[in-house]
Amino acid sequence: MDDYVQEGIYGARETLPDERRMYLTSIRERIEFVLLQNQVRESAVYPEIEQALKEHQELKMFLNGNMNYRFLSKYIQLADQKKVPYQVITNKEHNSEYGLVLAHNEAVDKNEITLPKRHADNGAAPSFWDRLFRS
C-alpha cells in the first residue's frame, strides 16, 4: 500500500535513473552506438551510424537537446531519410556527455558502443589564422 501512495505522490519509479540521464533516456544494455558531443559537432556524419540505421530498422535515435540545433540537424535529416524515429532530449539539470545515442527497444548488450573520434574540426569554420597559413 505504501508503494502505491508513494507512486501517487512522486510518480512512477524510474529504473536506473543515473544511466538514463547519461544515455539520454535509454539504458546501456539497449545501445548500439553513442557519440560524444564533440563527435556530433564534426561536420561529417559518422558512417557507422548511417550503416547501423540501414541494418537495424528498429533503432531509435536520441539527440542531446542541450546542443545547438545546427550540429544535430545532419543526424535529424539522416533519421528522416532512413525513416528511423528520433527524439531530442533536453535535461536542464544534467547535460550528458553524449550528443547522440542509437538504441534498440530490447537489450543487445554490445561490448563496444563508443566510436573512435574521426575529425578534429568540431564543425567550426577554420579560424582566420588557419585560412591564412593553410598550405
Side-chain angles (χ1 to χ4, degrees):
M1 183 69 168
D2 188 46
D3 288 339
Y4 183 75
V5 172
Q6 292 295 323
E7 187 174 316
I9 295 171
Y10 301 109
R13 288 186 183 168
E14 187 178 76
T15 57
L16 306 169
D18 292 335
E19 200 169 293
R20 287 184 184 276
R21 274 190 292 278
M22 182 188 317
Y23 294 117
L24 306 174
T25 73
S26 190
I27 53 178
R28 170 68 174 83
E29 67 186 18
R30 296 179 181 175
I31 294 175
E32 182 72 23
F33 288 119
V34 294
L35 291 179
L36 295 169
Q37 286 192 29
N38 62 359
Q39 290 176 297
V40 173
R41 286 187 196 101
E42 294 175 11
S43 57
V45 169
Y46 273 68
E48 293 91 341
I49 300 296
E50 196 166 0
Q51 185 64 33
L53 292 177
K54 189 185 298 183
E55 291 175 5
H56 306 284
Q57 290 296 314
E58 77 283 357
L59 284 173
K60 249 184 139 173
M61 183 184 294
F62 299 98
L63 298 161
N64 190 333
N66 293 324
M67 294 182 65
N68 190 309
Y69 179 79
R70 73 182 176 113
F71 300 123
L72 302 178
S73 64
K74 62 185 168 286
Y75 287 101
I76 290 172
Q77 289 173 359
L78 179 64
D80 283 341
Q81 187 180 63
K82 302 291 183 189
K83 297 185 180 6
V84 171
Y86 68 90
Q87 192 172 359
V88 179
I89 307 297
T90 304
N91 185 340
K92 300 289 186 201
E93 289 122 30
H94 177 77
N95 188 8
S96 172
E97 65 184 311
Y98 297 111
L100 179 145
V101 174
L102 275 185
H104 295 267
N105 291 328
E106 304 294 326
V108 290
D109 284 324
K110 281 186 70 171
N111 287 335
E112 191 58 43
I113 61 171
T114 59
L115 295 173
K117 188 164 172 51
R118 301 275 192 245
H119 309 288
D121 68 0
N122 279 341
S127 72
F128 169 77
W129 297 109
D130 289 340
R131 288 179 284 157
L132 185 64
F133 295 111
R134 188 181 321 186
S135 48

